[in-house]
């Protein structure tokens, strides 16, 4: 059980951080600056992309883990 919790935590963290980084770099490619002073449209857009990327990465990690668990039961 301890191994399962470690795998769950690590896969969630890797998925979230990976997705957030993809959102960050996608925003940079679109010219959006997350660290711009103030809360202009470009900064808000970058924040939204990082949040969406992190959430999508987390969901991908959870689906991967569920698929992996289903295959190990067979």
């Amino acid at each position: 059980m301890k191994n399962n919790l470690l795998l769950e935590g690590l896969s969630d963290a890797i998925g979230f951080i990976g997705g957030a980084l993809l959102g960050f770099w996608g925003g940079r490619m679109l010219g959006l600056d997350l660290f711009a002073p103030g809360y202009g449209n470009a900064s808000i857009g970058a924040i939204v992309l990082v949040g969406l990327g992190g959430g999508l990465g987390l969901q991908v990690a959870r689906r991967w883990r569920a698929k992996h668990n289903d295959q190990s039961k067979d």
Side-chain angles (χ1 to χ4, degrees), residues 16-49:
F16 179 81
I17 291 172
L21 285 172
L22 286 174
F24 172 76
W25 288 111
R28 295 289 289 189
M29 287 182 4
L30 293 173
L32 305 175
D33 187 9
L34 178 68
F35 301 110
Y39 287 106
N41 291 335
S43 181
I44 297 295
I47 292 168
V48 167
L49 282 177

Side-chain angles (χ1 to χ4, degrees), residues 1 5 26 31-32 34-38 40 46 49 51 57-58 68 72:
M1 175 153 175
L5 293 176
L32 305 175
L34 178 68
F35 301 110
L49 282 177
L58 180 62
H68 179 72
S72 66

Side-chain angles (χ1 to χ4, degrees), residues 7-19 58 61 65:
L7 178 65
E8 182 178 345
L10 285 175
S11 65
D12 281 355
I14 290 169
F16 179 81
I17 291 172
L58 180 62
R65 196 172 55 245

Side-chain angles (χ1 to χ4, degrees), residues 49-73:
L49 282 177
V50 168
L52 286 173
L56 288 173
L58 180 62
Q59 292 303 311
V60 167
R62 289 183 176 175
R63 289 182 184 179
W64 171 82
R65 196 172 55 245
K67 183 179 178 183
H68 179 72
N69 286 341
D70 288 344
Q71 288 178 354
S72 66
K73 289 180 182 177

